[in-house]
Amino acid sequence: MTRVGIGYDSHRLVPGRPFILGGQRIAFEKGLEGHSDADAVAHAVTDAILGAAGAGDIGTYFPEADPKWKDFDSLVMLRMAREHINQLGYHPVQADITIICERPRLGVYKQAMAVAIAGELGVPPDAVGIKAKTNEGMGFVGRGEGVAVFAVATVEAR
Ligand code: MG
């Protein structure tokens, strides 16, 4: 049985924060604001696999009120979510991710992101699609106020 999950996340771009996306440190003058390391790619994929397994959402397992997750590595959150769905009898098969970011251009990071996300999902890198696009200057992404990410993932019952 194959099940599909969807995930979405957005974070504000602010000065004085590292810009972590898909487990990569992006060279830029701003970074993503958030309680954890604010890796919106990892968060969207986490929600996608949890949703596919009918296992709630990222806020259920990593509540912002809990200081334990402050500046936490979101790749580790993704790994913990994957371990959780493994216990429920599911394993990820593939994920597809679209990042919407006006600046900087993310093309050079896509392969490394795919390798990092695939490593946490326990799938080959070619089972993780990463697309990066701009929002053509429109809306909060277009104005450079933040970054948005969509992800879908499929899981199969063991
Ligand atoms: Mg988030």
Side-chain angles (χ1 to χ4, degrees):
M1 181 184 51
T2 299
R3 297 170 58 138
V4 179
I6 184 170
Y8 169 81
D9 197 29
S10 59
H11 281 268
R12 197 177 289 269
L13 274 168
V14 296
R17 285 272 299 181
F19 190 175
I20 309 291
L21 207 53
Q24 312 310 303
R25 187 165 181 143
I26 311 297
F28 195 51
E29 71 262 25
K30 293 178 179 177
L32 296 177
E33 184 176 54
H35 185 64
S36 65
D37 68 6
D39 185 336
V41 168
H43 293 178
V45 177
T46 298
D47 263 350
I49 65 167
L50 289 172
D57 64 23
I58 192 169
T60 311
Y61 302 101
F62 309 102
E64 293 213 342
D66 189 339
K68 185 169 156 191
W69 309 118
K70 176 110 176 67
D71 296 326
F72 200 77
D73 181 345
S74 298
L75 284 182
V76 177
M77 289 186 186
L78 175 58
R79 187 184 319 157
M80 292 167 72
R82 195 259 298 165
E83 289 166 356
H84 178 64
I85 72 162
N86 285 161
Q87 284 166 2
L88 297 174
Y90 296 100
H91 66 276
V93 176
Q94 54 83 225
D96 195 22
I97 299 156
T98 295
I99 304 164
I100 313 170
C101 176
E102 207 69 20
R103 273 195 326 124
R105 305 310 287 256
L106 299 172
V108 294
Y109 299 100
K110 288 194 294 186
Q111 184 57 30
M113 289 183 187
V115 168
I117 298 295
E120 305 305 345
L121 293 178
V123 301
D126 67 0
V128 175
I130 307 264
K131 283 94 62 203
K133 59 197 296 164
T134 73
N135 217 30
E136 299 282 338
M138 297 179 287
F140 74 91
V141 171
R143 290 189 297 271
E145 294 170 12
V147 169
V149 180
F150 294 93
V152 293
T154 53
V155 304
E156 281 179 354
R158 282 191 190 281

